[in-house]
Amino acid sequence: MTEQISEGLSETTIAELHELAGRYPQSRSALLPMLHLVQSEQGRVTAEGIEVCGRILGLTEAEVSAVATFYTMYKRRPMGKHHVGVCTNTLCAVMGGDEIFERLSGHLDVGNDETSEDGQVTLERVECNAACDFAPVMMVNWEFFDNQTPESAIEVVDQLRAGETVQSTRGATITSWREAERVIGGFEDGLVDEGPAAAGASLAGLEIANERGWKAPPLDASGPEAGRESEGQAAAEADTRRAESETVIEQSPTDVRSEETEATDD
């Protein structure tokens, strides 16, 4: 059993798709958020969603499909109410991410990118969540759950399935995958300031600096204009050095020997 799929895009959503297209100088740049908005209503990227996005942006259905099938955040099969992504990239895997995924897979009786029978949870292995200092990390509807264990991950999933209120460790109260997709699509839900954005290991360097009175070096004494000039000079020098090195690289040892032989013959 999966979450019910909407039969068709509502007039409100179609109007919002047009609004997204109008936010960009080049309307086709709106395709990514538009596909997220489609998912927020229909629970996946549907054939209808592809056709509507293409019509609004002046793209072919093949062009829209190429994007929708390239990025893993776009789903072509119905999703559960919640998306649970377990990071199994290198550091999280070493710290226990693989075990967390396997335990959740057995607990929910699903494989990768499959949805539990009650339609509540879609489980997925995901690549780096950019939170290595909190490994192993799990995400629910793209909200962080840090320093997880198999037991804590199962507890979170059971709370979600029971309809209980669940708070991420560094983010908002969990709503649903569809609601999160609407936010990613560009329509705020008012929860952006819930929970800390940074904590623990992420702030360790700042705390040490404060304890020891360390401060960032001051700007150049000559003022910001001089700083910009020196930056420009450094960039120019770097370009010159790169060009010189490329010239040397392009001239192989064989070329050098050939030139020396020709000079001797002359």
Side-chain angles (χ1 to χ4, degrees), residues 1 54 85 97 110 132:
M1 174 181 169
V110 296
C132 301

Side-chain angles (χ1 to χ4, degrees), residues 143 167-168 170-173 183 188-198:
E143 296 288 352
Q167 178 74 41
S168 65
R170 282 183 296 120
T173 302
V183 174
E188 294 292 340
D189 60 1
L191 303 179
V192 65
D193 293 323
E194 275 199 9

Side-chain angles (χ1 to χ4, degrees), residues 59-182:
L59 300 173
T60 66
E61 292 183 25
E63 289 173 315
V64 177
S65 294
V67 173
T69 55
F70 182 82
Y71 295 104
T72 59
M73 289 179 74
Y74 299 124
K75 305 301 182 182
R76 303 308 301 273
R77 293 183 293 179
M79 291 286 286
K81 181 176 181 179
H82 300 289
H83 173 267
V84 174
V86 180
C87 181
T88 54
N89 211 327
T90 307
L91 183 57
C92 279
V94 169
M95 298 293 287
D98 284 334
E99 183 181 358
I100 289 171
F101 180 86
E102 294 303 326
R103 289 281 296 276
L104 285 177
S105 178
H107 185 68
L108 295 168
D109 194 24
V110 296
N112 180 56
D113 209 18
E114 294 181 355
T115 301
S116 58
E117 188 175 354
D118 60 7
Q120 290 295 306
V121 175
T122 297
L123 179 66
E124 184 180 11
R125 289 180 180 269
V126 294
E127 289 301 309
C128 184
N129 283 320
C132 301
D133 43 349
F134 296 100
V137 174
M138 178 175 79
M139 298 191 91
V140 176
N141 307 331
W142 309 115
E143 296 288 352
F144 285 109
F145 285 79
D146 303 321
N147 302 311
Q148 291 297 291
T149 64
E151 293 71 28
S152 66
I154 288 173
E155 182 180 0
V156 169
V157 165
D158 285 346
Q159 289 174 335
L160 293 171
R161 299 175 80 187
E164 298 176 13
T165 299
V166 177
Q167 178 74 41
S168 65
T169 54
R170 282 183 296 120
T173 302
I174 300 303
T175 51
S176 71
W177 179 76
R178 290 196 188 194
E179 290 171 280
E181 283 296 293
R182 180 172 173 79

Side-chain angles (χ1 to χ4, degrees), residues 193-215:
D193 293 323
E194 275 199 9
S202 296
L203 300 177
L206 177 62
E207 291 170 356
I208 292 172
N210 289 337
E211 289 173 2
R212 302 186 180 183
W214 293 346
K215 301 205 178 282

